[in-house]
Amino acid sequence: MRHLHTRTTRRRVVGALAAGLLCTTGLMTPAFAAPAQEPASPTLADGLALTPPMGFNNWNSTHCRAEFNEDMVKGIADLFVDKGLKEAGYQYVNLDDCWALPSRDANGKLVPDPVRFPGGIKAVADYVHAKGLKLGIYTSAGTKTCNSAGFPGALGHEYSDAQQFADWGVDYLKYDNCNNQGVDAKLRYTTMRDALKATGRPIVYSICEWGENKPWEWASDVGHLWRTTGDISDSWGSMLSILKQNLPLAPHAGPGHWNDPDMLEVGNGGMTDTEYRSHFSMWSIMAAPLLIGSDLRKASAATFDILDNREVIAVDQDPLGKQGTVLSSEGGRWVVAKEMKDGSRAVALFNETGSAQRIATTAQAVGLPEADAYTLRDLWRHKGYNTAGTISATVPAHGTVLVRVSVDPQWAKNPPAVELGLDGSPLVEAGRTASLTSTVTDLGRTPAKRVSVTLSGPEGWTVAATSPTGTGTVPTGHALRTQWQVTAPAGAATGSYDLTLKASYRSPTGVRAESVLPLKASVVVAPPSGVSSLGDLPWLSTTNGWGPVERNTSNGESAAGDGHPITLGGVAYTKGLGVHAESAVEYYTGKACETVTADVGVDDEKGAKGTVAFEIWADGTKVASTGVLTNAMPAQPITADVTGAQVVRLVVTDGGDGIDSDHADWADAKLSC
Ligand code: GLA
């Protein structure tokens, strides 16, 4: 069962995201990884989609609801022009499923739904074209589209449907995979390619068979882009799972033939703005199509700021057309680098984890030639710095620092880059004090002058420096280290609280610069001694692919409390956690616990579906894991030694195949302290 056609509510719950221990070890220097060479694959010689398509598609915001109609499409086209998105490169306004009536007319022609599109599709195309934009449409390479109402598909009607689209003035076709009657995918998609070509109209051709037949291996001269995964949904877990499936396909992308990890969810409300910036950053560094999936008529200023970030868009649209490649991903700390036409490199430091992490690489590791110094442009802060070669940052939970690094004779006009960090554990019990150390490290070739640092906490907290907060000069590679005592008020409720670290400094020529790092502190309670059931203990944070993490039941995908009794291999359990991949549940163990045990597997409620893998982490170390478990397998026992850990994290991954049906149970999970 594919979720999309059965669910209208999708919610994700993220508890307090605690900042964990920040790594302070020396620079990680991944070995030089040569960017994968694009294989010499044939491409469509029509000059279309030489950079990844940009535009809008209604599906992620409306599905088939009534607000998908002519007014919406026109409204989006208006906003593309009025809000500067057209100028930013957004061009295609695309209609998804449900634009047609369920039956063809007497001549076998498709009929637009007269309620949604009273003027027909041609009129909408004319409107969109008059604004200098292009129109896209949707159908399926099957007898019917994906929606259960059963709208007509193009299988067996390829030439007449393609001609009808061309006659309407359609510029883009998304061709789905439902109801395909088992006909060979290559044949189905190639027939439509030929039918589109026969119309003589330039039409971008988007293959949407969800990666089932590995289109990256055969479709470079069939379509201009191909979906690589199942459908995205508006949750961190879904986005992350798709990201991980699309990243390894980098060698197959290039001008006119792109990997498509599905449309953007930015602005739809199920992720934080930090997470949406990560989504947009990672789609851009993967040279993915940028199809806006939120109803811009209701979008916030923050949503427009993300979608209109032209420095990030320039990474996506770079004419060299390389998809970024993964240089390292240890412990959820991802470094992805993309070669740009001007010789620079876009570099994403992406933090998959629920706590702030230091992520680092070097100019050499991302493929830049040796130089005394480089210019490093921060694409979200829109500021330039100089670096002696280190590219590194403390990246907030689920955040991405996206930079563009180049060999630049003018590097010295920029102030030095500094890296902010906070060492020590920001997990405190109410009324207690945590000792933390801030660092302001000069990554530049030039010294940082007149450096000063502040740390601020929420109302009622005491934050006091016990060593100097300023210094005249921090030379290259050195740091200003400051000790802090951070006290949570007595009676503070458990949960997550904001801390902000700020540094200000000057370049040797007096240019002022500032750096800000948003962090989290958490008020925690010590774990009870003895053996406790994890289904009953308070957690520090959770992330989950569908719906919230459930206590003592399975995961029901939507609202809290909608699960069933945890059941694995026919055995029912009264205690445990019911989660949905991708998932992480963190507990504060305060160095007082020894073991975690559980019986794990895919809940019986999913019939024959679902594949997942379980991991247990003690702070930054994976201390136990299973292989990929399927629904057919009985419960598997897992035991982890968590001695000395401040935080224990229970992780479920998607087993490498997307999160569909991945109902995972930590049955009878217990913690001994
Ligand atoms: C499939 C596609 C989605 C969307 C729906 C419409 O699920 O993968 O992107 O087009 O069909 O029914």
Side-chain angles (χ1 to χ4, degrees), residues 101 251 284 317 362 406 445 460 463 517 549 596 615:
L101 284 184
S284 294
Q317 293 290 303
T362 64
S406 50
R445 176 54 68 203
V463 180
L517 177 61
V549 170
V596 171
E615 300 171 356

Side-chain angles (χ1 to χ4, degrees), residues 99-176:
W99 60 267
L101 284 184
S103 299
R104 293 170 180 272
D105 72 10
N107 302 317
K109 291 221 166 195
L110 297 161
V111 186
D113 181 331
V115 176
R116 293 181 196 269
F117 295 100
I121 302 298
K122 173 100 173 56
V124 179
D126 289 346
Y127 186 91
V128 167
H129 290 154
K131 303 233 152 199
L133 299 167
K134 293 189 179 334
L135 188 84
I137 208 160
Y138 161 100
T139 187
S140 181
T143 47
K144 286 181 189 316
T145 67
C146 294
N147 187 268
S148 53
F151 302 109
L155 189 64
H157 298 260
E158 289 88 351
Y159 283 81
S160 58
D161 286 356
Q163 190 56 54
Q164 198 174 354
F165 297 149
D167 292 344
W168 282 339
V170 164
D171 308 294
Y172 183 115
L173 173 67
K174 171 177 172 179
Y175 202 34
D176 213 337

Side-chain angles (χ1 to χ4, degrees), residues 2 4-5 59 64 96-98 138 145-147 174 176 178 208 210 227 230-231 262-263:
R2 303 179 53 239
L4 259 179
H5 312 297
W59 181 254
C64 291
D96 209 280
D97 201 356
C98 306
Y138 161 100
T145 67
C146 294
N147 187 268
K174 171 177 172 179
D176 213 337
C178 288
C208 178
W210 321 312
R227 282 273 296 278
D231 290 0
D262 208 357
M263 303 170 291

Side-chain angles (χ1 to χ4, degrees), residues 27 345 347 358 360-364 366 368-378 383-393 403-408 410-419 441-447 476-477 505:
L27 287 193
R345 296 292 187 280
V347 184
R358 178 164 187 275
T361 185
T362 64
Q364 205 196 345
V366 301
L368 287 166
E370 215 157 305
D372 263 3
Y374 305 82
T375 284
L376 178 151
R377 179 93 188 154
D378 184 319
K383 293 225 157 70
Y385 303 91
N386 79 72
T387 171
T390 299
I391 304 164
S392 86
V403 297
R404 185 165 173 173
V405 187
S406 50
V407 175
D408 170 14
Q410 301 291 308
W411 61 265
K413 73 179 191 308
N414 296 311
V418 302
E419 179 187 345
T441 308
D442 182 15
L443 306 180
R445 176 54 68 203
T446 54
T476 302
Y505 60 100

